[in-house]
Amino acid sequence: MPTVPAEGGKTDMERIGLFSEMEYITVGDKYVSQFNRPFNEAASKSKQMLPGGSKAMSDLQAGYFDPRFVRIFEGEGYVNLNQVRRRDMMEAARKNLGKAFFPSSGEKKPCGLGSYYGTIGGPVPFFSAQSKPREKYKAPGKNLYTNPGKKGTGYGYANITIGKQFSHSADFYDAAKLNYKKANEEHHRLLKGAPFKLNLHPRDYFDANPYFSEEPLPPIKKEEKKESISNTFKPSSPGKKPGGMKAGTFDPYPSHSADPYMAKLATISGKNDKIFHPPGGPKSRPVESIMTLNVRRALNSKNYKTASVPSY
């Protein structure tokens, strides 16, 4: 749109600071929908690069990038592996100080369990089966022989125990009483003066009994003894068992009564006194299923020749 000069005399472009107004690139171009636009428009113009497909690796030169097969070591000499192996063996043999070790004979195999044949050390004396030397057996001495025990219980018999018999010593009948009397006289002889006594009246260790009363106690109440039943109740004879009669009851069998089993209903008299009979309910009738109705709708007399079987 054209720029209009403002009141100050400057146009909009001069006030913004641009030299000229930006051009409109898409003015007059045809409208192209975004669905019809190509993803890469440059790929559909002029010539494109054709790689010719991928190459499969094979023994032919076509599977490699180089036009000819290039060796890693070109111009090297031929090396015999057997010759190199023999040279290494000879150098190793020069390092040996003497001849190679050869065993005198093959390995020895043991013959039987517990045999030392074929072993390096030979038999071990510690595991030998021979018996060790022992001292000559000396029989122990004879046992102690004693005389058989003397008969008797020991009470009232002399010279039956192992030791000697005790000698008799006289013992007075009142020796303990006489000894106590002599000791008491010796004690009173050593005393000096009468025993020490206080002039104070003795008192009780505790206070007087607060529950003590000088009034006489009431007489002791005697408990009334209840008279107990001496003999238990026993029936005169055992109970009678009912055997289809009333022999075991207290009362005799009641007399026959002529009452009927149930009262008869009174006869209905009059039109208004009739019995009410409810009317019959609706009667059932055959009902077609939903499957039959659908079949009749889909297959009728007009299209039964052209109708196709549905697949479930």
Side-chain angles (χ1 to χ4, degrees):
M1 58 184 294
T3 58
V4 179
E7 296 178 357
K10 291 183 179 180
T11 61
D12 296 337
M13 300 303 297
E14 292 177 352
R15 287 189 290 103
I16 294 173
L18 299 176
F19 294 100
S20 63
E21 190 176 357
M22 299 295 293
E23 298 180 356
Y24 297 95
I25 301 173
T26 58
V27 173
D29 295 346
K30 295 181 179 180
Y31 175 74
V32 180
S33 177
Q34 59 179 352
F35 300 102
N36 296 331
R37 294 176 183 176
F39 176 74
N40 189 1
E41 188 175 357
S44 60
K45 297 179 181 180
S46 67
K47 294 182 180 181
Q48 305 297 324
M49 183 179 66
L50 302 176
S54 60
K55 296 181 180 180
M57 187 175 182
S58 63
D59 293 338
L60 301 177
Q61 195 63 31
Y64 300 94
F65 293 98
D66 298 335
R68 63 185 185 85
F69 184 77
V70 181
R71 298 177 59 87
I72 300 175
F73 298 103
E74 191 171 357
E76 70 272 13
Y78 175 73
V79 179
N80 190 357
L81 295 178
N82 292 333
Q83 187 178 2
V84 174
R85 193 178 298 109
R86 292 194 188 102
R87 189 189 307 152
D88 294 339
M89 292 173 62
M90 291 174 63
E91 291 179 359
R94 291 193 191 99
K95 296 179 181 179
N96 295 333
L97 299 178
K99 296 181 178 181
F101 171 75
F102 292 99
S104 59
S105 59
E107 60 181 4
K108 298 180 180 180
K109 297 182 179 179
C111 56
L113 184 64
S115 175
Y116 293 96
Y117 179 77
T119 58
I120 299 175
V124 181
F126 182 77
F127 295 103
S128 177
Q130 297 180 359
S131 59
K132 297 180 181 179
R134 299 180 180 179
E135 297 180 358
K136 188 176 180 180
Y137 176 75
K138 293 181 181 180
K142 294 182 179 181
N143 295 329
L144 178 66
Y145 290 97
T146 58
N147 293 330
K150 296 180 180 180
K151 297 180 180 180
T153 59
Y155 181 76
Y157 294 87
N159 299 325
I160 292 179
T161 58
I162 298 175
K164 295 181 179 181
Q165 190 70 17
F166 292 101
S167 60
H168 175 69
S169 58
D171 188 11
F172 297 100
Y173 181 75
D174 294 335
K177 188 177 180 179
L178 295 174
N179 293 335
Y180 175 76
K181 187 177 180 180
K182 290 180 180 179
N184 193 15
E185 291 178 355
E186 183 65 18
H187 172 67
H188 285 284
R189 188 181 64 81
L190 297 175
L191 292 177
K192 295 181 178 179
F196 176 75
K197 294 181 180 180
L198 294 175
N199 296 326
L200 299 176
H201 180 74
R203 295 182 179 180
D204 297 336
Y205 290 102
F206 304 100
D207 297 338
N209 188 4
Y211 302 99
F212 179 76
S213 177
E214 296 181 355
E215 297 179 0
L217 297 174
I220 300 173
K221 295 181 180 180
K222 295 182 180 180
E223 296 180 359
E224 295 181 358
K225 295 183 179 180
K226 296 181 180 180
E227 296 181 358
S228 60
I229 300 172
S230 59
N231 299 328
T232 56
F233 171 74
K234 293 182 180 180
S236 59
S237 59
K240 298 178 181 180
K241 297 181 180 179
M245 56 182 180
K246 300 298 179 180
T249 59
F250 293 99
D251 299 333
Y253 193 83
S255 60
H256 176 69
S257 58
D259 296 336
Y261 180 73
M262 57 182 298
K264 294 182 180 180
L265 298 175
T267 57
I268 300 171
S269 61
K271 296 181 179 180
N272 298 330
D273 298 336
K274 290 183 178 181
I275 301 174
F276 171 74
H277 295 281
K283 298 179 180 180
S284 61
R285 54 181 295 179
V287 180
E288 293 183 355
S289 64
I290 299 174
M291 188 70 181
T292 307
L293 293 175
N294 293 334
V295 170
R296 287 188 177 182
R297 290 175 183 174
L299 186 67
N300 48 41
S301 60
K302 295 181 179 180
N303 65 345
Y304 73 95
K305 290 184 178 181
T306 59
S308 60
V309 179
S311 59
Y312 297 100

